[in-house]
Amino acid sequence: MRKQLSLAQQLFVLQLAVILLLVGSGAALVVLEARRDSQSDAEHRVLTLSAGLARLPEVREAFTQPAPSLTLQPLAESVREATGTDFIVFMGPDRTRYSHPNPDAVGGKFLGTIRPALHGEPFTETYEGTLGPSARAVVPVETEQGRVLGLVAIGILQEQIGDEVRRRMGPVVVISAAALVLAAAGSWAISRRLRRQTLGLGAAEISRLYESHDAVLRNVHEGLLIVDPHGRLTLVNQEAARLLGLPDQPEGQEVRDLELDEPLGSVLASGEAVHDELCVYGDRVLVVNQERIDKDGRPLGAVTTLRDHTDLEALAGELDSVRGFAEALRSQTHESANRLHTVVTMIELGRPEEAVEFATVELASAQALTDRLTGEVEEPALAALLLGKAAQAAEKGVELSVSEDTAVAGTSFAARDLVTLVGNLVDNAIDAALAGAPPRRVAVTVRSAPDGSLLVRVADSGDGVDNSQLESMFTRGWSTKRAEGPHGRGLGLSLVKQVINRYDGEVDVESGEGAVFTVRLRPLREEPER
């Protein structure tokens, strides 16, 4: 199968053809112009010389003598040799030659046009006479009164004109050849550069690659960005533009000018390698991968992929809560078995009253919490979460208390958002309490207001929060630690901040004997119908 020429080779061939056409056309025009100039110069020379000879007194006098040839033939030959013309012919009005370069032709008839000269009009023409084609001038020899005594014809052969043209064409040929060589060298350099840029691909191959490239970018479900070594976006697919909320046609803009939220903006601008890192961007959780691109040791920039894990992270959080609730139930089952054995043994020992008291004290406390939460918290997912976290905390040795004023009426907040908000705050509080000194306690308050807003307060007995980290703790999103679960490390408070922003809420953090997180959410306003 015949190999198709690359785009660079096709361009080189086309450029070379155009150059040859232009240089050839230019050279041809120069030749024609040089021939026209040489013809014009020859005609001007013979016309001027003929007019000068026709005005000489000895020429006029010779035409009045019985044998004009005796005077005119020597004069004509001497002038011809002196001026470099090919012939000078003096003739009578009847075309009889009185001079000629060939003496044998003297007395013969002149070949050519003489009618205008017989009427006193000098003229020039190109005519093929006995010596060959020539540019000639025919001028009348007149008396003082204007009577035509005879004619003088002076000519230069076309062969001599051709020699002059060839002499002039020497520099033209050299210049044309030099221009052709320079233009071909320039085209070759351009072709070589284009070949590097197009990787030696042909036009059809580039078209197929573009069509495939465009189809992939439009249909891939991941965001894709390519940033050049100078920090400018060179490619953004539709999914990436949607995830990051980019303006139309962001290609060509610098990453720093797009005002992307941190830390994603700095990561894209730096071009550093990143592998499966989670980043909270706006109301989304994105998995970011970034790799440098190099070819033949030359940096081409960085390619970044973005995967939307927002729903997955929310589900993972809910799954963690359910798993924790299940673990709490499993531990309670184990603990209940131990208590049951204890009760049975106490009865066998003849202490039934003490057995009843032992069996009902903690059960009454747990049932009271369950009854209170299911009665005061109308959102089942939130009530189940609080019960599960209480059992989970107890298993870890942390006392989790739900305040008496906890009460949540029907709200406009999504159950998933409430689970994300409260679950992450409580998990962080349990971890903080475990890191502190005993007694380890966590206090939770969730209360809705008549205006539909919601207050969530979580306090722990840990070591508190470093005041220098208050501004950054909700915007971390990235962690230098390896992930220890499906949603990684350093993400909980970022998800909390995401929920707060979604409901135009606010958060307050107090640090003293432990940390107190207070969050207020406002109900979403419905858009008025238009």
Side-chain angles (χ1 to χ4, degrees):
M1 182 177 179
R2 186 178 179 182
K3 181 175 175 60
Q4 183 185 20
L5 292 177
S6 68
L7 180 62
Q9 291 172 329
Q10 294 180 30
L11 181 61
F12 176 70
V13 172
L14 291 175
Q15 286 180 322
L16 197 58
V18 172
I19 290 168
L20 287 172
L21 178 62
L22 292 178
V23 172
S25 300
L29 290 175
V30 170
V31 171
L32 293 176
E33 185 66 18
R35 186 170 186 84
R36 188 183 67 82
D37 290 344
S38 297
Q39 180 80 14
S40 179
D41 290 345
E43 291 177 353
H44 179 71
R45 284 174 57 199
V46 296
L47 183 61
T48 302
L49 184 57
S50 299
L53 286 176
R55 292 189 181 91
L56 291 176
E58 55 267 32
V59 172
R60 292 176 182 175
E61 185 178 352
F63 274 103
T64 61
Q65 295 176 359
S69 297
L70 297 176
T71 303
L72 295 178
Q73 175 68 9
L75 176 64
E77 287 304 299
S78 62
V79 173
R80 183 181 67 81
E81 293 176 358
T83 58
T85 55
D86 290 302
F87 66 85
I88 298 178
V89 176
F90 289 100
M91 72 192 82
D94 60 352
R95 294 178 178 268
T96 300
R97 299 190 190 98
Y98 297 138
S99 66
H100 195 275
N102 183 5
D104 296 336
V106 176
K109 295 296 184 181
F110 177 78
L111 301 178
T113 304
I114 63 171
R115 183 181 298 277
L118 292 175
H119 292 85
E121 295 292 335
F123 71 94
T124 60
E125 69 170 349
T126 299
Y127 192 84
E128 185 173 359
T130 57
L131 299 177
S134 63
R136 61 178 64 178
V138 181
V139 177
V141 179
E142 300 174 320
T143 64
E144 296 292 339
Q145 292 76 25
R147 183 171 63 86
V148 176
L149 297 175
L151 306 172
V152 56
I154 301 178
I156 297 177
L157 294 177
Q158 292 292 333
E159 183 180 353
Q160 184 180 156
I161 297 175
D163 292 340
E164 177 66 17
V165 172
R166 284 189 288 274
R167 185 185 65 80
R168 294 186 181 184
M169 281 304 299
V172 174
V173 171
V174 173
I175 294 173
S176 298
L180 182 61
V181 171
L182 290 176
S187 296
W188 178 80
I190 294 173
S191 174
R192 186 177 179 183
R193 176 179 177 84
L194 182 62
R195 183 177 182 181
R196 288 199 306 268
Q197 293 177 335
T198 59
L199 304 179
L201 298 176
E205 293 172 316
I206 293 176
S207 297
R208 286 196 301 270
L209 283 177
Y210 173 77
E211 292 171 355
S212 303
H213 163 91
D214 186 64
V216 169
L217 290 183
R218 288 179 179 274
N219 294 284
V220 72
H221 295 296
E222 292 187 358
L224 178 65
L225 304 97
I226 297 180
V227 181
D228 68 12
H230 305 291
R232 289 189 299 267
L233 279 176
T234 58
L235 185 144
V236 179
N237 71 344
Q238 293 180 345
E239 181 66 9
R242 182 186 72 84
L243 292 176
L244 302 182
L246 298 178
D248 293 336
Q249 298 180 345
E251 289 86 350
Q253 299 186 42
E254 292 193 9
V255 173
R256 299 190 184 279
D257 294 338
L258 296 175
E259 299 181 354
L260 299 176
D261 293 347
E262 296 297 338
L264 185 58
S266 297
V267 172
L268 291 177
S270 69
E272 297 296 332
V274 173
H275 300 286
D276 290 331
E277 293 288 355
L278 287 176
C279 174
V280 176
Y281 187 89
D283 60 350
R284 301 182 184 279
V285 177
L286 305 179
V287 177
V288 182
N289 282 278
Q290 183 166 273
E291 291 289 347
R292 288 182 176 274
I293 309 173
D294 296 294
K295 181 174 178 58
D296 300 330
R298 181 167 55 97
L300 301 179
V303 59
T304 307
T305 59
L306 307 173
R307 295 197 306 273
D308 190 359
H309 272 213
T310 304
D311 293 338
L312 181 60
E313 292 303 324
L315 291 174
E318 293 182 18
L319 180 60
D320 281 350
S321 297
V322 173
R323 184 183 293 111
F325 191 46
E327 289 294 332
L329 290 177
R330 187 178 296 109
S331 64
Q332 288 296 320
T333 300
H334 182 71
E335 185 66 20
S336 297
N338 291 334
R339 290 174 183 170
L340 180 60
H341 288 303
T342 302
V343 169
V344 171
T345 301
M346 293 178 70
I347 293 175
E348 291 175 348
L349 294 175
R351 298 182 178 182
E353 294 83 2
E354 296 176 4
V356 171
E357 181 181 0
F358 175 81
T360 58
V361 169
E362 292 193 13
L363 179 63
S365 176
Q367 188 61 43
L369 177 61
T370 301
D371 293 341
R372 182 160 58 86
L373 289 180
T374 55
E376 298 295 338
V377 179
E378 296 184 7
E379 175 52 60
L382 181 58
L385 174 70
L386 291 174
L387 289 173
K389 292 300 179 183
Q392 183 181 359
E395 181 185 357
K396 293 181 177 182
V398 177
E399 179 186 348
L400 189 149
S401 61
V402 180
S403 64
E404 295 293 336
D405 59 346
T406 292
V408 179
T411 67
S412 61
F413 305 107
R416 176 180 295 181
D417 291 335
L418 294 179
V419 169
T420 298
L421 174 66
V422 177
N424 280 290
L425 288 177
V426 172
D427 285 340
N428 285 348
I430 293 174
D431 291 340
L434 287 173
R440 299 179 175 91
R441 298 188 180 92
V442 172
V444 180
T445 299
V446 183
R447 185 174 66 247
S448 59
D451 60 357
S453 62
L454 183 73
L455 180 141
V456 178
R457 180 179 290 111
V458 179
D460 63 70
S461 61
D463 297 329
V465 178
D466 187 352
N467 292 331
S468 63
Q469 297 180 353
L470 293 179
E471 295 294 329
S472 61
M473 65 172 59
F474 289 98
T475 57
R476 286 173 60 190
W478 298 87
S479 177
T480 57
K481 301 179 180 179
R482 290 185 57 84
E484 296 179 355
H487 54 280
R489 298 291 298 266
L491 191 63
L493 290 180
S494 297
L495 295 175
V496 168
K497 185 64 174 179
Q498 187 181 103
V499 174
I500 294 172
N501 292 337
R502 186 176 299 131
Y503 292 99
D504 192 23
E506 57 188 25
V507 59
D508 180 63
V509 181
E510 300 177 6
S511 182
E513 295 181 358
V516 180
F517 286 76
T518 303
V519 176
R520 293 178 178 82
L521 301 183
R522 298 181 178 86
L524 295 176
R525 296 180 180 179
E526 296 183 358
E527 292 288 337
E529 296 184 0
R530 297 182 180 180

